[in-house]
Coordinates of all heavy atoms in Angstrom, one line a residue:
I1 N -166.7 -65.9 113.3 CA -165.8 -66.8 112.7 C -166.1 -68.2 113.1 O -166.2 -68.5 114.3 CB -164.3 -66.4 113.1 CG1 -164.0 -65.0 112.6 CG2 -163.3 -67.4 112.6 CD1 -162.7 -64.5 113.1
P2 N -166.2 -69.2 112.2 CA -166.4 -70.6 112.6 C -165.3 -71.1 113.5 O -164.2 -70.8 113.4 CB -166.5 -71.3 111.3 CG -166.7 -70.3 110.2 CD -166.1 -69.0 110.8
Q3 N -165.8 -72.0 114.4 CA -164.8 -72.7 115.3 C -163.8 -73.4 114.5 O -164.1 -74.1 113.5 CB -165.6 -73.6 116.2 CG -164.7 -74.1 117.4 CD -165.6 -74.9 118.3 OE1 -166.7 -75.3 118.0 NE2 -165.0 -75.1 119.5
G4 N -162.5 -73.4 114.9 CA -161.4 -74.1 114.3 C -160.8 -73.3 113.1 O -159.9 -73.8 112.4
I5 N -161.3 -72.1 112.8 CA -160.7 -71.3 111.7 C -160.1 -70.1 112.4 O -160.7 -69.4 113.1 CB -161.8 -70.9 110.7 CG1 -162.3 -72.2 110.0 CG2 -161.2 -69.9 109.7 CD1 -163.4 -71.9 109.0
N6 N -158.8 -69.8 112.0 CA -158.2 -68.6 112.5 C -158.5 -67.4 111.7 O -159.2 -67.5 110.7 CB -156.6 -68.8 112.6 CG -156.0 -68.9 111.3 OD1 -156.3 -68.2 110.3 ND2 -155.0 -69.8 111.2
L7 N -158.1 -66.2 112.2 CA -158.5 -65.0 111.6 C -158.0 -64.9 110.1 O -158.8 -64.4 109.2 CB -158.0 -63.8 112.4 CG -158.4 -62.4 112.0 CD1 -159.9 -62.3 112.1 CD2 -157.8 -61.3 112.9
M8 N -156.8 -65.3 109.8 CA -156.3 -65.3 108.5 C -157.1 -66.1 107.5 O -157.5 -65.7 106.4 CB -154.8 -65.7 108.4 CG -154.2 -65.6 107.1 SD -153.7 -64.0 106.6 CE -152.3 -63.8 107.6
E9 N -157.5 -67.3 108.0 CA -158.3 -68.2 107.2 C -159.7 -67.7 106.9 O -160.3 -67.8 105.8 CB -158.4 -69.6 107.8 CG -157.1 -70.4 107.8 CD -157.1 -71.6 108.8 OE1 -157.9 -71.6 109.8 OE2 -156.3 -72.5 108.5
A10 N -160.3 -67.1 108.0 CA -161.6 -66.5 107.9 C -161.6 -65.3 106.9 O -162.5 -65.2 106.1 CB -162.1 -66.0 109.2
A11 N -160.6 -64.5 106.9 CA -160.5 -63.4 105.9 C -160.4 -63.9 104.5 O -161.0 -63.3 103.6 CB -159.2 -62.6 106.3
S12 N -159.6 -65.0 104.3 CA -159.5 -65.5 102.9 C -160.8 -66.1 102.4 O -161.1 -66.1 101.2 CB -158.3 -66.5 102.8 OG -158.6 -67.7 103.6
L13 N -161.6 -66.7 103.3 CA -162.9 -67.3 102.9 C -163.8 -66.2 102.4 O -164.5 -66.4 101.3 CB -163.6 -68.0 104.1 CG -163.1 -69.4 104.5 CD1 -163.8 -69.8 105.7 CD2 -163.4 -70.3 103.3
Q14 N -163.8 -65.1 103.0 CA -164.7 -64.0 102.6 C -164.3 -63.5 101.2 O -165.2 -63.3 100.4 CB -164.7 -62.9 103.6 CG -165.7 -61.7 103.4 CD -165.2 -60.8 102.3 OE1 -164.1 -60.5 102.1 NE2 -166.2 -60.2 101.6
C15 N -163.1 -63.5 100.9 CA -162.6 -63.0 99.6 C -163.0 -64.0 98.5 O -163.5 -63.6 97.5 CB -161.1 -62.9 99.6 SG -160.3 -62.3 98.1
T16 N -162.9 -65.3 98.8 CA -163.3 -66.3 97.8 C -164.8 -66.3 97.6 O -165.3 -66.3 96.5 CB -162.9 -67.7 98.2 OG1 -161.5 -67.7 98.4 CG2 -163.2 -68.7 97.2
L17 N -165.6 -66.2 98.7 CA -167.0 -66.2 98.6 C -167.5 -65.0 97.8 O -168.4 -65.1 97.0 CB -167.6 -66.1 100.0 CG -167.7 -67.4 100.8 CD1 -168.0 -67.2 102.2 CD2 -168.7 -68.3 100.1
E18 N -166.9 -63.8 98.1 CA -167.4 -62.6 97.4 C -167.0 -62.7 95.9 O -167.8 -62.3 95.0 CB -166.7 -61.4 98.0 CG -167.0 -60.1 97.3 CD -168.5 -59.7 97.5 OE1 -169.1 -60.1 98.5 OE2 -169.0 -58.9 96.7
T19 N -165.9 -63.2 95.5 CA -165.5 -63.4 94.1 C -166.4 -64.3 93.4 O -166.9 -64.0 92.3 CB -164.0 -63.9 94.1 OG1 -163.2 -63.0 94.7 CG2 -163.6 -64.1 92.6
V20 N -166.8 -65.5 94.0 CA -167.7 -66.4 93.4 C -169.1 -65.8 93.3 O -169.7 -65.9 92.2 CB -167.7 -67.7 94.2 CG1 -168.8 -68.6 93.7 CG2 -166.4 -68.4 94.2
Y21 N -169.6 -65.2 94.3 CA -170.9 -64.6 94.3 C -171.0 -63.5 93.2 O -171.9 -63.5 92.4 CB -171.3 -64.0 95.6 CG -172.7 -63.4 95.6 CD1 -173.8 -64.3 95.8 CD2 -173.0 -62.1 95.3 CE1 -175.1 -63.8 95.7 CE2 -174.3 -61.6 95.3 CZ -175.3 -62.5 95.5 OH -176.6 -62.0 95.4
Q22 N -170.0 -62.7 93.1 CA -170.0 -61.6 92.0 C -169.9 -62.3 90.6 O -170.6 -61.8 89.7 CB -168.8 -60.7 92.2 CG -169.0 -59.7 93.2 CD -167.8 -58.7 93.3 OE1 -166.7 -59.0 92.9 NE2 -168.1 -57.5 93.7
G23 N -169.2 -63.3 90.5 CA -169.1 -64.0 89.2 C -170.4 -64.6 88.8 O -170.9 -64.5 87.6
L24 N -171.1 -65.2 89.7 CA -172.4 -65.8 89.4 C -173.5 -64.8 89.3 O -174.3 -64.9 88.3 CB -172.8 -66.8 90.5 CG -171.9 -68.1 90.6 CD1 -172.4 -68.9 91.8 CD2 -171.9 -68.9 89.4
F25 N -173.6 -63.8 90.2 CA -174.7 -62.9 90.2 C -174.4 -61.7 89.2 O -175.3 -61.4 88.3 CB -174.9 -62.4 91.6 CG -176.1 -61.4 91.7 CD1 -177.4 -61.9 91.7 CD2 -175.9 -60.1 91.9 CE1 -178.5 -61.1 91.8 CE2 -177.0 -59.2 92.0 CZ -178.3 -59.7 91.9
D26 N -173.3 -61.0 89.4 CA -173.1 -59.8 88.6 C -172.7 -60.1 87.1 O -173.2 -59.5 86.2 CB -171.9 -59.0 89.2 CG -172.4 -58.4 90.6 OD1 -173.6 -58.3 90.8 OD2 -171.5 -58.1 91.4
Y27 N -171.8 -61.1 86.9 CA -171.3 -61.3 85.6 C -172.1 -62.4 84.8 O -172.3 -62.2 83.6 CB -169.8 -61.7 85.6 CG -168.9 -60.6 86.2 CD1 -168.4 -60.8 87.5 CD2 -168.8 -59.4 85.5 CE1 -167.6 -59.7 88.0 CE2 -168.0 -58.4 86.1 CZ -167.5 -58.6 87.4 OH -166.7 -57.5 87.9
A28 N -172.5 -63.4 85.5 CA -173.3 -64.5 84.8 C -174.8 -64.2 84.8 O -175.5 -64.9 84.2 CB -173.0 -65.8 85.4
S29 N -175.2 -63.2 85.6 CA -176.6 -62.9 85.8 C -177.4 -64.1 86.1 O -178.6 -64.3 85.6 CB -177.1 -62.2 84.5 OG -176.4 -61.0 84.2
M30 N -176.9 -64.9 87.0 CA -177.6 -66.1 87.5 C -178.9 -65.7 88.2 O -179.0 -64.8 88.9 CB -176.7 -66.9 88.4 CG -177.2 -68.3 88.6 SD -176.0 -69.3 89.4 CE -176.8 -70.8 89.4
K31 N -180.0 -66.5 87.9 CA -181.3 -66.3 88.5 C -181.7 -67.6 89.2 O -181.2 -68.6 88.9 CB -182.3 -65.9 87.4 CG -182.0 -64.6 86.7 CD -183.0 -64.3 85.6 CE -183.0 -65.2 84.4 NZ -181.8 -65.5 83.7
E32 N -182.7 -67.4 90.0 CA -183.2 -68.6 90.8 C -183.6 -69.7 89.8 O -184.3 -69.4 88.8 CB -184.4 -68.2 91.7 CG -184.8 -69.3 92.6 CD -185.8 -68.8 93.6 OE1 -185.6 -67.8 94.2 OE2 -186.8 -69.6 93.9
G33 N -183.2 -70.9 90.1 CA -183.6 -72.0 89.3 C -182.7 -72.3 88.1 O -182.9 -73.3 87.4
D34 N -181.7 -71.5 87.8 CA -180.9 -71.7 86.6 C -180.0 -73.0 86.8 O -179.7 -73.4 87.9 CB -179.9 -70.5 86.5 CG -180.5 -69.3 85.8 OD1 -181.6 -69.4 85.4 OD2 -179.8 -68.3 85.7
T35 N -179.7 -73.5 85.6 CA -178.8 -74.7 85.5 C -177.4 -74.1 85.4 O -177.1 -73.1 84.8 CB -179.1 -75.5 84.3 OG1 -180.4 -76.0 84.4 CG2 -178.1 -76.6 84.0
I36 N -176.4 -74.8 86.0 CA -175.0 -74.3 86.0 C -174.0 -75.4 85.8 O -174.2 -76.5 86.3 CB -174.7 -73.5 87.3 CG1 -173.3 -72.9 87.3 CG2 -174.9 -74.4 88.6 CD1 -173.1 -71.9 88.4
L37 N -172.9 -75.1 85.1 CA -171.8 -76.0 85.0 C -170.6 -75.3 85.7 O -170.3 -74.1 85.4 CB -171.4 -76.2 83.5 CG -170.1 -76.9 83.2 CD1 -170.1 -78.3 83.7 CD2 -169.8 -76.8 81.7
I38 N -170.0 -76.0 86.6 CA -168.9 -75.5 87.4 C -167.7 -76.3 87.1 O -167.6 -77.5 87.4 CB -169.2 -75.5 88.9 CG1 -170.4 -74.7 89.2 CG2 -168.0 -75.0 89.7 CD1 -171.0 -74.9 90.6
L39 N -166.7 -75.7 86.4 CA -165.5 -76.4 86.1 C -164.6 -76.3 87.3 O -164.3 -75.3 87.9 CB -164.8 -75.8 84.9 CG -165.6 -75.7 83.6 CD1 -164.8 -75.0 82.5 CD2 -166.0 -77.1 83.2
G40 N -164.1 -77.5 87.8 CA -163.3 -77.5 89.0 C -164.1 -77.5 90.2 O -163.9 -76.6 91.1
G41 N -165.1 -78.4 90.4 CA -166.0 -78.3 91.5 C -165.4 -78.6 92.8 O -165.9 -78.1 93.8
S42 N -164.2 -79.2 92.9 CA -163.6 -79.5 94.2 C -162.5 -78.4 94.6 O -161.8 -78.6 95.6 CB -163.0 -80.9 94.3 OG -162.1 -81.1 93.3
S43 N -162.4 -77.4 93.7 CA -161.4 -76.3 94.1 C -162.1 -75.4 95.1 O -163.3 -75.6 95.4 CB -161.1 -75.5 92.9 OG -162.3 -74.8 92.4
V44 N -161.4 -74.6 95.8 CA -162.0 -73.7 96.8 C -163.1 -72.9 96.2 O -164.3 -72.8 96.7 CB -160.9 -72.8 97.4 CG1 -161.6 -71.8 98.4 CG2 -159.9 -73.6 98.2
A45 N -162.9 -72.3 95.1 CA -163.9 -71.5 94.4 C -165.1 -72.4 93.9 O -166.3 -72.0 94.1 CB -163.4 -70.7 93.2
G46 N -164.8 -73.5 93.4 CA -165.8 -74.5 93.0 C -166.7 -74.9 94.1 O -167.9 -75.0 93.9
M47 N -166.1 -75.2 95.3 CA -166.9 -75.7 96.4 C -167.9 -74.6 96.9 O -169.0 -74.8 97.2 CB -166.0 -76.1 97.5 CG -165.3 -77.4 97.2 SD -164.4 -78.1 98.7 CE -163.1 -77.0 98.8
H48 N -167.4 -73.3 96.9 CA -168.3 -72.2 97.2 C -169.3 -72.0 96.1 O -170.5 -71.7 96.5 CB -167.4 -70.9 97.4 CG -166.6 -70.9 98.6 ND1 -167.1 -71.1 99.9 CD2 -165.3 -70.7 98.8 CE1 -166.2 -71.0 100.8 NE2 -165.0 -70.8 100.1
A49 N -169.0 -72.2 94.9 CA -169.9 -72.0 93.8 C -171.1 -73.0 93.9 O -172.2 -72.7 93.7 CB -169.2 -72.1 92.4
I50 N -170.8 -74.3 94.2 CA -171.8 -75.3 94.4 C -172.8 -74.9 95.5 O -174.0 -74.9 95.3 CB -171.2 -76.6 94.8 CG1 -170.3 -77.2 93.6 CG2 -172.3 -77.6 95.2 CD1 -169.5 -78.4 94.0
Q51 N -172.2 -74.5 96.6 CA -173.1 -74.1 97.7 C -173.9 -72.8 97.5 O -175.1 -72.8 97.8 CB -172.3 -73.9 99.0 CG -171.6 -75.3 99.4 CD -170.7 -75.1 100.6 OE1 -171.1 -75.1 101.7 NE2 -169.4 -75.0 100.3
I52 N -173.3 -71.9 96.8 CA -174.1 -70.6 96.5 C -175.2 -70.9 95.5 O -176.3 -70.5 95.6 CB -173.1 -69.5 96.0 CG1 -172.3 -69.0 97.2 CG2 -173.9 -68.4 95.4 CD1 -171.1 -68.1 96.7
A53 N -174.8 -71.7 94.5 CA -175.8 -72.1 93.4 C -177.0 -72.8 94.0 O -178.2 -72.6 93.7 CB -175.2 -72.9 92.3
K54 N -176.7 -73.8 94.9 CA -177.8 -74.6 95.5 C -178.6 -73.8 96.6 O -179.8 -73.9 96.5 CB -177.1 -75.8 96.2 CG -178.1 -76.8 96.7 CD -179.0 -77.5 95.7 CE -178.5 -78.8 95.3 NZ -179.3 -79.5 94.3
N55 N -177.9 -73.1 97.4 CA -178.6 -72.5 98.6 C -179.1 -71.1 98.3 O -180.1 -70.7 98.9 CB -177.7 -72.5 99.8 CG -177.4 -73.9 100.2 OD1 -178.2 -74.7 100.4 ND2 -176.1 -74.3 100.2
I56 N -178.5 -70.3 97.5 CA -179.0 -68.9 97.2 C -179.8 -68.9 96.0 O -180.9 -68.3 95.9 CB -177.8 -67.9 97.2 CG1 -177.1 -67.9 98.6 CG2 -178.2 -66.6 96.7 CD1 -175.9 -67.0 98.6
F57 N -179.3 -69.5 94.9 CA -180.0 -69.4 93.6 C -180.9 -70.6 93.4 O -181.6 -70.7 92.3 CB -179.0 -69.3 92.5 CG -178.2 -68.0 92.5 CD1 -176.9 -68.0 92.9 CD2 -178.8 -66.8 92.2 CE1 -176.2 -66.8 92.9 CE2 -178.2 -65.6 92.2 CZ -176.8 -65.6 92.6
K58 N -181.0 -71.5 94.3 CA -181.9 -72.7 94.2 C -181.8 -73.4 92.8 O -182.8 -73.7 92.2 CB -183.3 -72.3 94.5 CG -183.5 -71.5 95.7 CD -183.2 -72.3 97.0 CE -183.6 -71.5 98.2 NZ -182.7 -71.6 99.3
S59 N -180.5 -73.6 92.4 CA -180.3 -74.2 91.1 C -180.9 -75.6 91.0 O -180.8 -76.4 92.0 CB -178.8 -74.3 90.8 OG -178.3 -73.0 90.6
K60 N -181.5 -75.9 89.9 CA -182.2 -77.2 89.7 C -181.2 -78.3 89.2 O -181.4 -79.5 89.4 CB -183.3 -77.1 88.7 CG -184.4 -76.1 89.2 CD -185.1 -76.5 90.4 CE -186.2 -75.5 90.7 NZ -186.3 -75.2 92.1
N61 N -180.1 -77.9 88.5 CA -179.2 -78.8 88.0 C -177.8 -78.2 88.1 O -177.4 -77.4 87.3 CB -179.6 -79.2 86.5 CG -178.7 -80.3 85.9 OD1 -177.8 -80.8 86.6 ND2 -178.9 -80.6 84.7
I62 N -177.0 -78.7 89.0 CA -175.6 -78.3 89.2 C -174.7 -79.4 88.7 O -174.7 -80.5 89.3 CB -175.3 -77.9 90.6 CG1 -176.3 -76.8 91.2 CG2 -173.9 -77.5 90.8 CD1 -176.2 -76.6 92.6
T63 N -174.0 -79.1 87.6 CA -173.1 -80.1 87.1 C -171.7 -79.6 87.3 O -171.4 -78.4 87.0 CB -173.3 -80.4 85.6 OG1 -174.6 -80.9 85.4 CG2 -172.3 -81.4 85.0
V64 N -170.8 -80.4 87.8 CA -169.4 -80.0 88.1 C -168.4 -81.0 87.4 O -168.8 -82.1 87.2 CB -169.1 -79.8 89.6 CG1 -170.0 -78.8 90.2 CG2 -169.2 -81.2 90.3
T65 N -167.2 -80.5 87.2 CA -166.1 -81.4 86.7 C -165.2 -81.5 87.9 O -164.8 -80.5 88.6 CB -165.3 -80.8 85.5 OG1 -164.7 -79.6 85.9 CG2 -166.2 -80.6 84.3
S66 N -164.9 -82.7 88.3 CA -164.0 -83.0 89.4 C -163.8 -84.5 89.4 O -164.5 -85.3 88.9 CB -164.7 -82.6 90.7 OG -163.9 -83.0 91.8
S67 N -162.7 -84.9 90.1 CA -162.4 -86.3 90.3 C -162.8 -86.7 91.7 O -162.7 -87.8 92.1 CB -160.9 -86.6 90.1 OG -160.1 -85.8 91.0
R68 N -163.4 -85.7 92.5 CA -163.8 -86.0 93.8 C -165.4 -85.9 93.9 O -166.0 -85.0 94.5 CB -163.2 -84.9 94.8 CG -161.7 -85.1 94.7 CD -161.0 -84.0 95.5 NE -161.2 -84.2 96.9 CZ -160.9 -83.4 97.8 NH1 -160.3 -82.2 97.5 NH2 -161.1 -83.6 99.1
E69 N -166.0 -87.0 93.4 CA -167.5 -87.0 93.3 C -168.2 -86.9 94.6 O -169.1 -86.1 94.8 CB -167.9 -88.3 92.6 CG -169.4 -88.4 92.4 CD -169.8 -89.6 91.6 OE1 -169.0 -90.4 91.1 OE2 -171.0 -89.7 91.4
A70 N -167.8 -87.7 95.6 CA -168.5 -87.7 96.9 C -168.4 -86.3 97.6 O -169.4 -85.8 98.1 CB -167.8 -88.7 97.8
L71 N -167.3 -85.6 97.5 CA -167.2 -84.3 98.1 C -168.2 -83.3 97.4 O -168.9 -82.6 98.0 CB -165.8 -83.7 97.9 CG -165.6 -82.3 98.3 CD1 -165.8 -82.0 99.8 CD2 -164.2 -81.8 97.9
C72 N -168.2 -83.3 96.1 CA -169.0 -82.4 95.3 C -170.5 -82.6 95.6 O -171.3 -81.7 95.7 CB -168.7 -82.4 93.8 SG -167.0 -81.8 93.4
K73 N -170.9 -83.9 95.6 CA -172.3 -84.3 95.9 C -172.7 -83.9 97.3 O -173.8 -83.5 97.5 CB -172.5 -85.7 95.6 CG -172.5 -86.0 94.1 CD -173.3 -87.3 93.8 CE -173.4 -87.3 92.2 NZ -174.3 -88.3 91.8
S74 N -171.8 -84.0 98.2 CA -172.1 -83.7 99.6 C -172.3 -82.2 99.8 O -173.0 -81.7 100.7 CB -171.0 -84.1 100.6 OG -169.8 -83.3 100.5
L75 N -171.8 -81.4 98.8 CA -171.9 -79.9 98.9 C -173.2 -79.5 98.1 O -173.6 -78.3 98.2 CB -170.7 -79.2 98.3 CG -169.4 -79.4 99.1 CD1 -168.2 -78.9 98.4 CD2 -169.5 -78.8 100.5
G76 N -173.8 -80.4 97.3 CA -175.0 -80.0 96.6 C -175.0 -80.2 95.1 O -176.0 -79.9 94.4
A77 N -173.9 -80.7 94.6 CA -173.8 -81.0 93.1 C -174.8 -82.1 92.7 O -174.9 -83.1 93.5 CB -172.4 -81.3 92.7
D78 N -175.5 -81.9 91.6 CA -176.4 -83.0 91.2 C -175.7 -84.0 90.3 O -176.0 -85.2 90.3 CB -177.6 -82.3 90.4 CG -178.4 -81.4 91.3 OD1 -178.9 -81.8 92.3 OD2 -178.5 -80.2 90.9
N79 N -174.8 -83.5 89.5 CA -174.0 -84.4 88.6 C -172.5 -84.0 88.6 O -172.2 -82.9 88.7 CB -174.5 -84.1 87.1 CG -176.0 -84.3 87.0 OD1 -176.5 -85.4 87.2 ND2 -176.6 -83.2 86.6
V80 N -171.7 -85.1 88.6 CA -170.3 -84.9 88.7 C -169.7 -85.6 87.5 O -169.9 -86.8 87.3 CB -169.6 -85.4 90.0 CG1 -168.1 -85.2 90.0 CG2 -170.3 -84.7 91.2
I81 N -168.9 -84.9 86.7 CA -168.2 -85.5 85.5 C -166.8 -85.6 85.9 O -166.1 -84.6 86.2 CB -168.4 -84.6 84.2 CG1 -169.9 -84.5 83.9 CG2 -167.6 -85.2 83.1 CD1 -170.1 -83.5 82.8
N82 N -166.2 -86.8 85.9 CA -164.8 -87.0 86.3 C -164.0 -86.7 85.0 O -163.9 -87.5 84.1 CB -164.6 -88.4 86.8 CG -163.2 -88.6 87.3 OD1 -162.2 -87.9 86.9 ND2 -163.0 -89.6 88.1
Y83 N -163.3 -85.5 85.1 CA -162.6 -85.1 83.9 C -161.4 -85.9 83.6 O -160.8 -85.9 82.6 CB -162.1 -83.6 84.1 CG -161.2 -83.4 85.3 CD1 -159.8 -83.5 85.1 CD2 -161.7 -83.1 86.6 CE1 -159.0 -83.4 86.2 CE2 -160.8 -83.0 87.6 CZ -159.5 -83.1 87.4 OH -158.6 -83.0 88.5
K84 N -161.0 -86.8 84.6 CA -159.9 -87.7 84.3 C -160.3 -88.9 83.5 O -159.5 -89.6 83.0 CB -159.2 -88.2 85.7 CG -158.6 -87.0 86.4 CD -157.9 -87.5 87.7 CE -157.2 -86.4 88.4 NZ -156.6 -86.8 89.7
E85 N -161.6 -89.2 83.5 CA -162.1 -90.4 82.8 C -162.9 -90.1 81.6 O -163.2 -90.9 80.8 CB -163.0 -91.2 83.8 CG -162.2 -91.7 85.0 CD -163.0 -92.4 86.0 OE1 -164.3 -92.4 85.8 OE2 -162.5 -92.9 87.0
A86 N -163.4 -88.8 81.5 CA -164.3 -88.5 80.3 C -164.1 -87.0 80.0 O -163.7 -86.2 80.8 CB -165.7 -88.7 80.7
E87 N -164.4 -86.7 78.7 CA -164.3 -85.3 78.3 C -165.6 -84.7 78.6 O -166.7 -85.1 78.2 CB -164.1 -85.2 76.7 CG -162.7 -85.7 76.3 CD -162.5 -85.5 74.8 OE1 -162.8 -84.3 74.3 OE2 -162.1 -86.4 74.2
W88 N -165.6 -83.6 79.5 CA -166.8 -83.0 80.0 C -167.7 -82.5 78.9 O -168.9 -82.5 79.0 CB -166.5 -82.0 81.1 CG -165.7 -80.8 80.7 CD1 -164.4 -80.7 80.8 CD2 -166.2 -79.6 80.1 NE1 -164.0 -79.4 80.3 CE2 -165.1 -78.8 79.9 CE3 -167.5 -79.2 79.8 CZ2 -165.3 -77.5 79.4 CZ3 -167.6 -77.9 79.3 CH2 -166.5 -77.1 79.1
K89 N -167.1 -82.0 77.8 CA -167.9 -81.4 76.7 C -168.8 -82.5 76.1 O -169.9 -82.2 75.7 CB -167.0 -80.8 75.7 CG -166.3 -79.5 76.1 CD -165.4 -79.0 75.0 CE -164.6 -77.8 75.5 NZ -163.6 -77.3 74.5
K90 N -168.3 -83.7 76.0 CA -169.1 -84.8 75.4 C -170.1 -85.3 76.4 O -171.1 -85.9 76.0 CB -168.1 -85.9 75.0 CG -167.2 -85.5 73.8 CD -166.4 -86.7 73.4 CE -165.5 -86.3 72.2 NZ -164.6 -87.4 71.9
E91 N -169.9 -85.1 77.7 CA -170.8 -85.7 78.7 C -172.0 -84.8 78.8 O -173.0 -85.2 79.4 CB -170.1 -85.8 80.0 CG -169.0 -86.8 80.0 CD -169.5 -88.2 79.9 OE1 -170.5 -88.6 80.5 OE2 -168.9 -89.0 79.1
L92 N -171.9 -83.5 78.5 CA -173.0 -82.6 78.6 C -174.1 -82.9 77.6 O -175.2 -82.8 77.7 CB -172.6 -81.1 78.4 CG -171.6 -80.7 79.5 CD1 -171.1 -79.3 79.1 CD2 -172.2 -80.7 80.9

């Protein structure tokens, strides 16, 4: 368990990580180098998805929607579309 995280918080992290990993690997059939769009990049699931896509799947282009650009980029997002300022569908 990482320092500063209690047992309850650690248990919930595992649940979120497993859910995101299954979504990307099992359901989306993500492969190494794939491009990905993550809606809600600064949500708990979104933050995990960015890191899994970058570090496990070695994604070449991770685009997320979020109003928290610096946070998403610090986690590994390549592009951040601020959904409060632009329609993400048009930005793609």
Side-chain angles (χ1 to χ4, degrees):
I1 298 174
Q3 189 174 17
I5 295 180
N6 66 39
L7 189 58
M8 184 76 77
E9 292 166 332
S12 67
L13 280 175
Q14 188 280 329
C15 182
T16 304
L17 281 167
E18 181 66 25
T19 300
V20 170
Y21 184 82
Q22 282 184 333
L24 295 175
F25 184 73
D26 294 337
Y27 299 109
S29 301
M30 193 167 184
K31 298 178 293 308
E32 188 170 317
D34 279 355
T35 295
I36 185 171
L37 168 65
I38 301 167
L39 301 178
S42 60
S43 68
V44 174
M47 290 188 289
H48 287 304
I50 293 168
Q51 294 175 82
I52 290 171
K54 184 63 103 183
N55 297 303
I56 294 176
F57 294 108
K58 309 294 185 221
S59 293
K60 303 293 185 222
N61 186 359
I62 301 172
T63 300
V64 301
T65 61
S66 177
S67 60
R68 299 175 69 190
E69 180 174 359
L71 171 66
C72 293
K73 287 201 171 195
S74 75
L75 295 171
D78 299 302
N79 305 297
V80 180
I81 300 169
N82 187 336
Y83 64 89
K84 292 181 178 179
E85 297 173 358
E87 290 185 51
W88 63 266
K89 292 178 186 178
K90 292 181 180 178
E91 295 293 316
L92 296 174

